[in-house]
Structure formats: C-alpha cells, structure tokens
Amino acid sequence: IAAIINDELGGGIEVNVEPIVDDRSYRVDSTFFSERMGFEFNHGVRKAVKSLSRAYSGGQFIQPLKNPAYYNISQMKEIGIL
C-alpha cells in the first residue's frame, strides 16, 4: 500500500519497513459478499488513493486533524449516542 501511495503522489516519499512482532492478520475475505450477497467491489487500493488525494487537494476535508466528523468517538459523543 505504501508503494502505491508513493507512486500516486509522485514519488519521493521514503518508506521504512521495520520488523514487528504482531501475529494479527488484517486480510479480508470478501467471498461472502460476492457469492452470497452479489456485491462486487469496484474500487481497488490505487483508485481509493487517487480519490482521497483529489478530495484532499480539492479542499474537501475540512480541518481533518480537528474535525470531530473524522473521529469515531468524538462523532458519537457529538450526536449523542455515547
């Protein structure tokens, strides 16, 4: 994913890969969604990176580091479900 982001943003980003001890798996199997639900994914990682980059460059993220809309707990508190 880091290589795709680097490529889409024009290169020049240094990526450091460091060994860690973490046995968790973040793989996702979408077989259930495609076979049973008929759901087809139409965005890959590269397309998502392009879309996010365009949105960020276009000013669509309003104060992303401070806006509670981008933080689950803050957003839940704000709308009164937590």
Side-chain angles (χ1 to χ4, degrees):
I1 293 174
I4 292 171
I5 294 170
N6 189 25
D7 184 48
E8 290 299 325
L9 296 179
I13 299 171
E14 183 179 337
V15 177
N16 295 320
V17 178
E18 298 180 13
I20 60 170
V21 178
D22 187 351
D23 293 334
R24 294 176 289 178
S25 173
Y26 294 96
R27 291 181 181 219
V28 176
D29 181 358
S30 60
T31 305
F32 174 81
F33 294 105
S34 61
E35 290 180 358
R36 291 183 157 185
M37 306 294 286
F39 183 82
E40 296 287 330
F41 293 96
N42 61 7
H43 281 75
V45 173
R46 187 171 297 277
K47 191 171 181 180
V49 169
K50 285 180 183 181
S51 177
L52 287 168
S53 178
R54 278 194 306 270
Y56 186 80
S57 296
Q60 293 178 325
F61 293 107
I62 301 165
Q63 294 185 331
L65 299 177
K66 296 180 181 179
N67 190 334
Y70 302 119
Y71 298 90
N72 292 340
I73 301 298
S74 297
Q75 183 65 19
M76 288 190 288
K77 287 178 181 176
E78 190 168 295
I79 63 175
I81 62 171
L82 185 67

